[in-house]
Amino acid sequence: MNLALEIAFSRQGLTSPNPAVGAVIVKNGSIIGKGGTGPAGTAHAEVRAIDDARASGADLSGAEMFVSLEPCCHYGKTPPCTEAIIKAGICRVNIAIADPNPRVSGKGIEALKNAGIEVFVMENFSRSAHDLIRGFEKLILHNRPFVISKSALTLDGRIATSAGDSKWISSEYSRFISHKLRAKVDALIVGKNTYESDNPSLNVRFADSGKEVFEYFSLEKFAFSGYDNFFLKELLTSDINDFKDPLRIVAGIPGLFHENSPLFKDDNYIIVANRDDLNRALKDGNNYLNKLNIETTEVLNQTETSLYILEMLGKRGALNVMLEGGAGLNSSFFSSGNMDQLMYFIAPKLSGNGISVLNNTGSEKMSEALKLYDVSSVLIKDDLLYNAYTKAFNTR
C-alpha cells in the first residue's frame, strides 16, 4: 500500500479533475503489476495496473490488489474500475480510503463484494491517502479547488521589507521545494502587485537549483515533527520527473506591464479583472492589454475576486491551486474562508517593519483566531517549513 501511495503522489498535478491514485497487484508474494491514474479521459490506476500485469504475461486469477482510493463503480469518460477488477479475476482488494465522491463512496466496495471479491479497508493508511486527495475531496463536494497558501516569512512574520523587497527571504533549498510544489498543483495565483514588483515566471524550474541543492535532498534524512504528513514527506524526498507547468493567474489589472514578461510567454495564463478597471486602463492608452488573455468580471473587491477565481477553476476541474503572494491576495482568500493549507517557509531573519503575510484587520480576540490542524514542521537547511490545514482530517 505504501508503494500505491507513492505512485499516487507521482501522478499529482497530472490527472485533474480525477484524483491521483496508485494501484499495485501482488500474487504469491511478488508484485506483478502497478499503475497510476492517467490524464483525464484515459485509464485509471487500477486498469493501468491490470494492463501492466498482462503486458508481462502474468496470470491475474487469484491475485490481490492494493489501491490508494476506493475503485470507481460508474461510467464516466472511462468504464468502472470495479468492472475491470472483477473481469481480471482478482480475489482481494485492499483499499486505503473510501472515495468522497457520493456517486462512489461505499458503492465501489459493495460492487466488489457482490462479485465475491474480498475487500479490506486498511485504515492505518487512511490519513496518508487523505493527504493526497484533499483537493479532489473539495472539488467533488464543494465545486472549488483546494487552496494552498505558500509564503516565505522572516522569523518576525514579514513577507517583504517596508520597501517591498522580498528577494530572497528563504534559502535556495526552500525555493527548490517551492518548485516541487508548483509541479503538484493545477494553478498558481498572484496578485497584480506581486506581478509588478517581481515579474515572476510562475513555472517549474528545477534547473535553477545548484548541484549542492540536489545533493542535499538526496542525502538528507529529514526529521519531521507533529502530524505524520505523507504528502509533505513525499514532497521533500521524492524525485519529480513527470510534470507540467500549472495555469498562471493574475488577480487584477497591473499598473505596470513588463516588456517580454515571462508570465505571458504562452497562452497558459489568465488575468482576472474587474470590467471597469479594464476599461479605465484601456482609456489610459494601455493597448498592450488587447493582446492578453483577460477574463472580466463585475466583482468589486478582492474577496469577491477570490471567490470568482475559485468558481472559474472549479469549472475547469482544478484540484489544487497555490497562492504565490502577496499580502492582499492571501488576505482575500483568508477572508472568503477558502484558504485550506498553509505552507510557511520561516527563515532565520528579522525584518522589523515590513509587510505581514495577511494585511486585513483580522480577529479582535484571540479566541476568534482561526485554529489550524494536522500541523507538521521540518527543518530544511536553516529554514523551518511549517505546514498546517484549516480543517481537521475527516471534516468535510
Side-chain angles (χ1 to χ4, degrees):
M1 184 60 78
N2 198 67
L3 176 58
L5 290 167
E6 290 174 358
I7 294 171
F9 175 84
S10 74
R11 300 301 301 159
Q12 282 197 311
L14 300 169
T15 67
S16 302
N18 296 329
V21 179
V24 176
I25 302 174
V26 175
K27 186 172 183 180
N28 299 326
S30 298
I31 293 174
I32 60 172
K34 54 187 178 181
T37 309
T42 65
H44 294 184
E46 299 92 325
V47 174
R48 287 183 172 234
I50 290 169
D51 290 345
D52 182 50
R54 285 174 173 159
S56 64
D59 177 10
L60 287 160
S61 61
E64 184 174 7
M65 176 179 282
F66 294 80
V67 60
S68 63
L69 183 68
E70 178 183 5
C72 66
C73 55
H74 64 280
Y75 281 87
K77 292 182 178 180
T78 59
C81 290
T82 51
E83 186 177 286
I85 293 170
I86 293 166
K87 288 182 178 179
I90 291 170
C91 69
R92 177 183 168 109
V93 177
N94 302 283
I95 299 167
I97 194 171
D99 194 323
N101 185 350
R103 295 181 66 187
V104 179
S105 188
K107 300 180 182 68
I109 293 173
E110 183 180 3
L112 294 173
K113 287 183 175 179
N114 288 342
I117 296 173
E118 185 181 1
V119 181
F120 182 65
V121 179
M122 302 178 70
E123 294 182 354
N124 54 319
F125 287 96
S126 293
R127 289 180 72 100
S128 295
H130 184 255
D131 289 339
L132 301 178
I133 62 161
R134 291 177 189 259
F136 174 69
E137 183 177 70
K138 187 177 179 186
L139 180 66
I140 206 70
L141 297 180
H142 304 290
N143 300 313
R144 293 175 181 169
F146 188 82
V147 178
I148 304 169
S149 175
K150 189 277 298 181
S151 292
L153 285 71
T154 60
L155 192 57
D156 51 350
R158 308 300 181 184
I159 60 171
T161 65
S162 56
D165 181 40
S166 61
K167 290 187 177 179
W168 295 101
I169 292 175
S170 61
S171 69
E172 59 181 328
Y173 299 89
S174 293
R175 295 197 297 275
F176 177 71
I177 296 302
S178 295
H179 281 281
K180 294 183 79 172
L181 185 59
R182 286 181 178 183
K184 294 299 174 183
V185 300
D186 298 302
L188 298 173
I189 308 172
V190 297
K192 60 181 182 179
N193 294 334
T194 297
Y195 167 79
E196 290 180 19
S197 61
D198 294 349
N199 189 22
S201 298
L202 299 186
N203 58 356
V204 181
R205 301 188 310 278
F206 295 137
D208 283 4
S209 300
K211 179 182 178 182
E212 66 279 2
V213 173
F214 286 95
E215 289 180 347
Y216 172 79
F217 284 100
S218 66
L219 298 174
E220 182 69 14
K221 303 297 182 184
F222 294 98
F224 292 84
S225 298
Y227 171 62
D228 188 20
N229 190 309
F230 185 85
F231 173 82
L232 191 60
K233 286 185 174 180
E234 288 297 301
L235 189 68
L236 264 65
T237 60
S238 292
D239 293 330
I240 297 178
N241 300 310
D242 192 6
F243 64 89
K244 62 181 180 180
D245 283 331
L247 175 68
R248 308 179 294 276
I249 295 177
V250 178
I253 294 289
L256 165 69
F257 278 92
H258 301 279
E259 187 175 356
N260 299 320
S261 173
L263 196 145
F264 309 125
K265 65 180 180 179
D266 54 34
D267 287 332
N268 192 34
Y269 73 90
I270 299 173
I271 297 175
V272 177
N274 174 275
R275 188 170 287 109
D276 291 339
D277 291 343
L278 175 61
N279 289 336
R280 278 193 294 270
L282 290 171
K283 286 180 180 179
D284 290 340
N286 196 343
N287 294 323
Y288 184 66
L289 293 170
N290 289 319
K291 304 176 183 178
L292 300 178
N293 299 337
I294 298 179
E295 184 158 331
T296 58
T297 77
E298 300 291 347
V299 299
L300 300 176
N301 59 50
Q302 287 183 322
T303 299
E304 289 177 340
T305 299
S306 69
L307 291 171
Y308 178 86
I309 290 172
L310 290 180
E311 289 172 3
M312 175 190 71
L313 290 173
K315 291 175 182 177
R316 287 170 169 259
L319 299 182
N320 299 289
V321 303
M322 183 164 69
L323 308 180
E324 286 266 13
L329 185 75
N330 286 327
S331 297
S332 67
F333 279 83
F334 177 81
S335 297
S336 69
N338 279 287
M339 191 177 283
D340 300 300
Q341 180 178 358
L342 296 95
M343 293 188 70
Y344 284 176
F345 294 87
I346 304 172
K349 299 176 182 178
L350 298 173
S351 174
N353 290 334
I355 300 173
S356 173
V357 67
L358 295 172
N359 65 4
N360 52 2
T361 54
S363 306
E364 293 185 1
K365 297 180 180 179
M366 190 56 66
S367 59
E368 299 171 348
L370 179 65
K371 180 175 173 57
L372 303 177
Y373 301 89
D374 294 344
V375 177
S376 307
S377 63
V378 59
L379 275 176
I380 301 175
K381 208 65 171 177
D382 293 331
D383 294 344
L384 176 68
L385 172 54
Y386 190 93
N387 185 83
Y389 300 91
T390 56
K391 291 183 177 64
F393 173 64
N394 271 346
T395 302
R396 297 175 178 175

